[in-house]
């Protein structure tokens, strides 16, 4: 079996992902109709990661120059239906692979991909994106490497899942079985197969700093978190992140996502995929929680002697953040991005200060470098005051401030904290 990331990419790169039987059957029916359009093909294919990947792998082979593809219909029109038929003719069918053995891993991965694509499409529409279907494709193929492992290395992936079920972080679990994380494999496979630029950008650390890739990342993260628990702290924090992305209150975001999930369940009811909409019926409401019997308080144990307080330890880079809680995966993602910024740009310090939902304040949420008592860790700036930051926020762009040009601009920070 392969050992390194490069060996796995080579091993998986030549193997197709399975399609689902309903997709293959409906596609064959459309081929026989002379009136079928590319939009008709897209309606059948869009909920099938395996079939969609086969089309874009064919596109990557036949179009070496990176090109923005707006939708599956667009890709079909560029390839031509004959090449699409030839590229998908020999796809294995998911339901026929080891029919006597269940494949919960790949079914679960496909289901998550479909939910992710559905959320990305609508996040893009709500944000006024010009090509929301491009975001949907990027989200559908976001976990392409993990899908390939479930299809062609199921035993190893079951080992990873056992680690996850035992409470080990998903990234650490993958590294215990492989020499790399699933996120690293997803990116490597997307590059190997020549998937669309937005798909690759959303898998890179810098993608979280751009509007469209961030939308794909948020959609995928919501699909992952809600699959586990709709009412978890992680899911609620992602709704808050979507609030910043769309400037829509988090409670309205939650209501919209719940409604989307129910609508998707109706869309995919004939496919062998599990919809997380059924879990919404089990989400405990506030009134139900209040009605639930409360446990009887037990007598408090006798107080123990107080220990001598210890000096607080220097926070690690992943912990060097300010107000607002982040789940572990979000922290790790931000840490990787900030480290990359620091290392590649030669910075001493780097901080992430998002715009408030009202759009009038910058407040630091995450920082690496610098002392633990640095004023930058408490950075908060009112954009109503004229400063270099308020000027840049009018038209965001890269800017290098130095001694030679500093006098030409307003003070970087009117409070003098910088």
């Amino acid at each position: 079996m392969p050992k390194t990331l490069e060996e796995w990419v080579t091993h998986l790169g030549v193997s197709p992902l399975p399609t689902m039987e309903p997709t293959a059957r409906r596609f064959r029916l459309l081929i026989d109709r002379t009136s079928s359009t590319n939009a008709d093909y897209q309606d059948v294919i869009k909920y099938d990661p395996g079939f969609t990947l086969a089309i874009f792998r064919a596109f990557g082979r036949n179009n070496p120059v990176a090109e923005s593809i707006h939708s599956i219909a667009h890709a079909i029109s560029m390839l031509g239906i004959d090449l699409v038929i030839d590229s998908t003719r020999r796809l294995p069918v998911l339901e026929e692979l080891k029919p006597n053995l269940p494949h919960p891993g790949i079914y679960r991965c496909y289901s998550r991909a479909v939910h992710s694509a559905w959320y990305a499409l609508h996040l893009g529409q709500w944000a006024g994106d010009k090509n929301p279907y491009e975001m949907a494709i990027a989200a559908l193929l976001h976990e392409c490497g993990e899908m390939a492992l479930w299809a062609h290395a199921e035993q190893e992936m079951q080992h990873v899942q056992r680690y996850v079920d035992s409470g080990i972080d998903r990234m650490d679990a993958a590294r215990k079985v492989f020499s790399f994380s699933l996120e690293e494999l997803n990116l490597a496979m997307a590059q190997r197969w020549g998937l669309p630029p937005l798909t690759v950008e959303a898998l890179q650390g810098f993608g979280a700093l751009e509007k469209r890739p961030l939308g794909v990342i948020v959609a995928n993260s919501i699909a992952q978190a809600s699959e586990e628990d709709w009412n978890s702290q992680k899911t609620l924090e992602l709704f808050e992140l979507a609030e910043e992305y769309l400037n829509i209150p988090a409670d309205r975001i939650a209501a919209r996502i719940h409604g989307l999930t129910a609508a998707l369940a109706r869309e995919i009811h004939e496919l062998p995929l599990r919809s997380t909409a059924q879990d919404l019926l089990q989400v405990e409401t506030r009134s139900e929680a209040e009605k639930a019997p409360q446990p009887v308080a037990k007598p408090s144990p006798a107080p123990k002697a107080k220990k001598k307080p210890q000096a607080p330890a220097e926070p690690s880079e992943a912990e060097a953040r300010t107000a607002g809680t982040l789940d572990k995966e979000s922290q790790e993602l931000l840490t990787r991005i900030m480290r990359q910024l620091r290392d590649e740009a030669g910075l001493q310090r780097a901080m992430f200060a998002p715009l408030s939902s009202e759009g009038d304040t910058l407040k630091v949420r995450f920082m690496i470098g610098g002392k633990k008592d640095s004023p930058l860790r408490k950075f908060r700036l009112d954009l109503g005051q004229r400063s270099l930051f308020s000027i840049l926020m009018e038209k965001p762009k890269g800017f290098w401030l130095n001694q030679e040009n500093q006098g030409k601009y307003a003070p970087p920070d009117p409070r003098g904290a910088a």
Side-chain angles (χ1 to χ4, degrees):
M1 291 298 289
K3 299 295 183 182
T4 66
L5 174 61
E6 293 74 17
E7 291 175 352
W8 274 105
V9 170
T10 301
H11 175 68
L12 298 172
V14 297
S15 303
L17 290 186
T19 182
M20 289 180 280
E21 190 279 330
T23 306
R25 172 169 40 83
R26 294 171 189 169
F27 184 74
R28 288 193 298 268
L29 291 175
L30 286 178
I31 293 173
D32 295 335
R33 298 177 186 171
T34 57
S35 60
S36 297
T37 66
N38 292 338
D40 294 329
Y41 294 125
Q42 175 176 278
D43 286 340
V44 167
I45 297 166
K46 63 184 178 182
Y47 298 126
D48 193 314
F51 207 107
T52 302
L53 180 64
I55 291 176
F56 282 97
R57 285 178 65 176
F59 189 89
R61 288 193 300 269
N62 292 275
N63 296 270
V65 179
E67 183 173 350
S68 178
I69 301 299
H70 304 157
S71 64
I72 295 173
H74 184 198
I76 294 174
S77 68
M78 296 288 289
L79 280 172
I81 189 61
D82 290 338
L83 186 54
V84 171
I85 294 173
D86 184 65
S87 300
T88 59
R89 189 191 310 275
R90 290 173 292 277
L91 286 180
V93 178
L94 184 61
E95 292 86 337
E96 296 176 0
L97 292 175
K98 303 176 186 176
N100 295 325
L101 297 175
H103 288 254
I106 192 167
Y107 281 119
R108 184 173 179 177
C109 209
Y110 273 27
S111 175
R112 189 165 58 243
V114 170
H115 283 77
S116 177
W118 186 247
Y119 299 149
L121 171 65
H122 289 85
L123 285 175
Q125 291 175 342
W126 297 339
D129 191 87
K130 295 181 179 179
N131 298 309
Y133 283 99
E134 186 179 8
M135 294 179 63
I137 292 167
L140 186 72
L141 304 179
H142 194 75
E143 298 178 9
C144 56
E146 182 173 351
M147 295 178 200
L149 284 176
W150 276 115
H152 304 292
E154 185 179 20
Q155 185 175 354
E156 288 80 359
M157 285 303 294
Q158 286 178 342
H159 197 180
V160 172
Q161 189 60 48
R162 283 194 292 270
Y163 278 127
V164 173
D165 293 340
S166 69
I168 297 177
D169 177 75
R170 187 170 176 270
M171 183 177 294
D172 294 335
R175 290 189 184 279
K176 282 182 174 291
V177 178
F178 307 102
S179 60
F180 49 83
S181 69
L182 298 178
E183 289 74 15
E184 290 170 329
L185 179 65
N186 291 333
L187 173 58
M189 295 309 304
Q191 293 171 329
R192 166 67 181 262
W193 287 328
L195 299 186
L198 181 59
T199 306
V200 177
E201 290 170 14
L203 288 165
Q204 295 174 314
F206 281 110
L209 301 178
E210 299 291 339
K211 179 86 172 178
R212 304 186 75 227
L214 177 59
V216 175
I217 295 171
V218 171
N220 179 257
S221 299
I222 290 176
Q224 285 189 4
S226 59
E227 177 187 49
E228 299 294 336
D229 184 357
W230 275 106
N231 219 22
S232 69
Q233 182 64 29
K234 181 178 180 180
T235 306
L236 299 179
E237 287 175 353
L238 286 168
F239 289 155
E240 292 177 359
L241 181 58
E243 174 183 10
E244 295 182 11
Y245 181 78
L246 295 169
N247 197 24
I248 296 175
D251 56 344
R252 289 176 57 190
I253 292 289
R256 288 190 181 190
I257 295 295
H258 291 173
L260 285 179
T261 307
L264 179 62
R266 294 188 289 271
E267 291 274 327
I268 63 174
H269 72 280
E270 293 184 3
L271 297 176
L273 301 176
R274 180 182 183 276
S275 171
T276 58
Q278 56 188 293
D279 297 327
L280 284 171
L281 301 175
Q282 303 171 16
V283 173
E284 186 180 64
T285 63
R286 185 178 302 274
S287 59
E288 291 171 342
E290 291 171 349
K291 294 176 183 178
Q294 301 298 317
V296 178
K298 296 182 179 180
S300 301
K304 298 181 180 179
K306 293 184 178 180
K307 297 182 180 180
K308 183 178 180 180
Q310 298 179 350
E314 176 69 16
S316 64
E317 290 181 341
E319 296 169 336
R321 55 191 177 86
T322 60
T325 58
L326 293 174
D327 61 85
K328 186 174 181 180
E329 289 187 7
S330 298
Q331 285 183 238
E332 291 173 347
L333 175 61
L334 275 175
T335 299
R336 291 197 300 271
I337 294 171
M338 304 304 278
R339 283 177 177 166
Q340 192 171 0
L341 278 171
R342 181 192 62 187
D343 297 341
E344 294 187 5
L347 304 176
Q348 293 180 347
R349 300 182 301 273
M351 72 178 184
F352 173 61
L355 193 64
S356 65
S357 58
E358 294 78 13
D360 59 359
T361 306
L362 288 175
K363 183 178 180 182
V364 67
R365 173 169 292 185
F366 181 87
M367 176 179 172
I368 62 173
K371 298 179 180 180
K372 62 182 179 181
D373 58 349
S374 170
L376 285 175
R377 296 192 186 278
K378 300 179 180 179
F379 180 85
R380 183 185 182 96
L381 184 66
D382 180 4
L383 294 176
Q385 303 180 52
R386 181 172 175 78
S387 67
L388 179 58
F389 289 98
S390 63
I391 295 173
L392 290 175
M393 290 302 293
E394 294 175 1
K395 186 178 181 181
K397 59 182 179 179
F399 183 83
W400 187 268
L401 182 68
N402 54 52
Q403 293 181 349
E404 295 179 359
N405 64 15
Q406 186 173 1
K408 299 179 182 180
Y409 300 95
D413 182 352
R415 302 173 298 106

